[in-house]
Amino acid sequence: SSAASDVYKRQILACLFAFNTQAQEEATSSDDYSKWQVRFRILSVVPSPSDDITGADVDISTAFTPEFDFTYFFSKNIAAELILATTKHNVEIENGGADLGHVWLLPPTLNLQYHFYADDFKPYVGAGINYTIFYGVDGGDVDDIDYENTIGFSLQAGVDYNLSEKWFLNLDVKKLFLETDVTPKGATESSKVGIDPLIIGLGVGMKF
């Protein structure tokens, strides 16, 4: 009958409406993430020095510094992070050797990340590249030292913890694989010095 047909039509329309609403909610949920994050962290930069200098070992001091980083999300899981910080390190030859003064490092690092989700926790892993600039060199017992700017690589693991929809805490660990050519003033040959710092950061971030 016409009445029964109308009832069936209304039921079908109701089912289609419910299905469409559910699909929209699922799509919104899958797209529900902030495109940008910014963090402020305090870093501990712990070098693991090595060198090819016969009969001597270079020692590079640990440094602490503030850091800013910016993260852009291509999707809910894939992101790119740019890290900006600079550190000052004292350099010397171990066991009473020469004081090689200090040098500042500026190693902007770009990492590609994969983010996981577990309630308020968001662990992530990453890998990328950095270009380290050496400046503000004081040669100490040596008249002058030249450090060659260099390209290195990085590995990363960390976790964000949501405090609210906008704010979160962050713990981050990076390993930079970094080596430079060091040339004292007047020397005809340079020496390879590995820095390879472990970088541990703790801070707070904001989504927007």
Side-chain angles (χ1 to χ4, degrees):
S1 67
S2 177
S5 177
D6 289 342
V7 170
Y8 291 143
K9 288 179 181 179
R10 285 195 294 270
Q11 290 177 341
I12 292 171
L13 290 173
C15 290
L16 289 173
F17 177 78
F19 176 79
N20 184 60
T21 300
Q22 182 179 2
Q24 288 180 345
E25 289 176 351
E26 290 176 355
T28 301
S29 176
S30 65
D31 294 335
D32 186 17
Y33 63 95
S34 299
K35 290 283 188 180
W36 288 94
Q37 289 183 176
V38 60
R39 299 186 188 91
F40 172 77
R41 291 188 282 225
I42 298 297
L43 302 185
S44 171
V45 182
V46 187
S48 299
S50 61
D51 61 76
D52 63 359
I53 305 172
T54 303
D57 292 316
V58 173
D59 183 59
I60 304 172
S61 67
T62 295
F64 297 89
T65 189
E67 177 251 34
F68 284 98
D69 64 84
F70 302 89
T71 304
Y72 177 78
F73 283 79
F74 301 100
S75 69
K76 192 171 183 177
N77 300 101
I78 306 296
E81 179 189 67
L82 178 63
I83 302 144
L84 302 172
T86 186
T87 55
K88 177 184 176 183
H89 297 271
N90 297 319
V91 186
E92 64 181 8
I93 302 297
E94 288 186 338
N95 301 320
D99 176 12
L100 302 181
H102 63 255
V103 60
W104 285 82
L105 276 66
L106 176 63
T109 303
L110 182 64
N111 283 338
L112 185 65
Q113 302 173 327
Y114 189 89
H115 290 253
F116 306 87
Y117 291 82
D119 295 327
D120 286 329
F121 289 91
K122 186 175 64 177
Y124 58 88
V125 293
I129 191 169
N130 77 83
Y131 182 74
T132 299
I133 300 167
F134 297 86
Y135 70 100
V137 178
D138 179 345
D141 294 338
V142 181
D143 286 343
D144 192 17
I145 302 176
D146 178 67
Y147 295 83
E148 183 180 6
N149 297 341
T150 186
I151 294 175
F153 300 95
S154 69
L155 296 176
Q156 176 186 37
V159 61
D160 295 326
Y161 177 74
N162 291 328
L163 298 174
S164 66
E165 291 186 1
K166 187 174 184 179
W167 295 94
F168 59 93
L169 297 176
N170 174 257
L171 173 64
D172 184 89
V173 179
K174 298 182 190 70
K175 180 67 175 181
L176 299 189
F177 300 92
L178 177 62
E179 185 179 73
T180 182
D181 289 328
V182 179
T183 309
K185 183 179 180 179
T188 57
E189 295 184 359
S190 61
S191 301
K192 291 284 187 185
V193 175
I195 302 172
D196 298 337
L198 179 68
I199 303 174
I200 303 171
L202 181 64
V204 62
M206 182 180 68
K207 306 172 188 176
F208 58 97

